[in-house]
Amino acid sequence: MRDHTQTLDKRAYHIFNNVIDFIITAGIVIALGIGAFSIFVDVKKTNDLKIGYTGYSMKDLGAVAWLKVAKTDIDFPIMQGKTNMEYLNKNPLGQMDLAGSIFLDSTNSPQFTDPYSVIYGHHLDDGLMFGALDAYLKKSYLEGHTNGTLETSSGRKYQLKLFSCFHVLSDNPIVFNASTQKTTEKVRDYINKQDPNHLSYDESLPIVALSTCVNATSENRVVVFGTIK
């Protein structure tokens, strides 16, 4: 009887060990699967940033416009939220993402009919998103990378001409005040003061500002100014 009981105990112990081993193995497989999926998602997000979501249309993304700058990696949909916080950490696919989106100031016309418009984007490493704007701080680079296009969701296509770039504090009431900017005069005067040697441009045209942070802790912003026609 004792031998029979011991045999049953051994079998039960063996079964218990097998169950535990299976649970541990399954847990490892699930963890590896989750890890692999996370890597896949991160790689896809990085690839989306590198190619500028060019595999999607404005309609697919609900974008208000598309920005391209010749001879650069800037080729992105422009989103617009009800507030400027909406797309700060949300990508054009609607997913939560620290890289956020390139987005138009919430108070600006999505058809870019305002005399002054501001477009924001995060500063990422390797020139991703608006990290590419850093290069414009060198006048020689600006001179060779002035042309671009801005197409709205309604099909209107503007020619973009970049003419100035410099650092601006994040609370600047002129550069970052698109909601009350009825004229480009104050912006033009400010550009002339901060960058008197800017490239020539047609002062009768609307101005567009492309803005990004210098880094995560700085109050400075890199702002590139251009006209659209």
Side-chain angles (χ1 to χ4, degrees):
M1 183 61 128
R2 181 177 299 175
D3 291 342
H4 180 67
T5 301
Q6 289 177 345
T7 299
L8 290 176
D9 289 343
K10 287 180 180 180
R11 287 180 179 176
Y13 180 76
H14 181 69
I15 292 171
F16 177 77
N17 279 343
N18 286 341
V19 170
I20 295 299
D21 288 343
F22 174 79
I23 292 173
I24 293 173
T25 301
I28 292 173
V29 170
I30 291 172
L32 289 174
I34 292 173
F37 181 73
S38 297
I39 292 173
F40 168 78
V41 170
D42 289 341
V43 169
K44 184 179 184 305
K45 286 181 179 179
T46 300
N47 287 337
D48 282 341
L49 291 175
K50 287 181 177 177
I51 65 173
Y53 295 92
T54 53
Y56 302 89
S57 68
M58 280 186 273
K59 184 176 181 181
D60 291 337
L61 301 171
V64 297
W66 202 288
L67 173 67
K68 296 182 182 180
V69 180
K71 297 190 290 185
T72 76
D73 291 329
I74 297 175
D75 186 358
F76 290 101
I78 300 176
M79 312 304 291
Q80 186 178 38
K82 294 181 179 179
T83 71
N84 286 340
M85 297 298 293
E86 184 172 340
Y87 281 97
L88 196 62
N89 296 122
K90 183 169 74 173
N91 67 28
L93 300 175
Q95 304 162 335
M96 292 303 297
D97 189 341
L98 292 179
S101 301
I102 304 300
F103 63 93
L104 177 65
D105 191 283
S106 62
T107 63
N108 276 136
S109 164
Q111 297 304 317
F112 286 85
T113 54
D114 294 331
Y116 179 63
S117 303
V118 184
I119 301 172
Y120 304 92
H122 280 308
H123 181 285
L124 301 186
D125 293 337
D126 301 320
L128 295 178
M129 299 291 279
F130 270 4
L133 297 184
D134 282 357
Y136 279 91
L137 291 167
K138 293 184 178 180
K139 187 61 65 70
S140 59
Y141 185 89
L142 171 60
E143 291 172 341
H145 300 78
T146 59
N147 298 319
T149 58
L150 197 159
E151 185 175 358
T152 69
S153 58
S154 66
R156 184 169 185 177
K157 193 169 186 177
Y158 296 95
Q159 296 301 313
L160 175 69
K161 187 79 171 180
L162 303 176
F163 64 88
S164 181
C165 177
F166 49 87
H167 286 120
V168 180
L169 286 175
S170 61
D171 60 354
N172 186 285
I174 296 174
V175 174
F176 302 115
N177 195 12
S179 63
T180 59
Q181 196 69 48
K182 303 302 182 184
T183 174
T184 59
E185 183 176 354
K186 289 183 179 179
V187 175
R188 287 198 302 267
D189 289 345
Y190 185 76
I191 293 171
N192 289 335
K193 180 180 179 181
Q194 298 299 317
D195 183 20
N197 296 317
H198 61 72
L199 303 184
S200 61
Y201 70 99
D202 187 341
E203 295 188 4
S204 68
L205 297 176
I207 291 178
V208 172
L210 312 180
S211 173
T212 190
C213 55
V214 171
N215 56 53
T217 59
S218 176
E219 292 299 316
N220 277 328
R221 301 292 181 264
V222 175
V223 183
V224 179
F225 297 91
T227 58
I228 53 173
K229 68 175 180 177

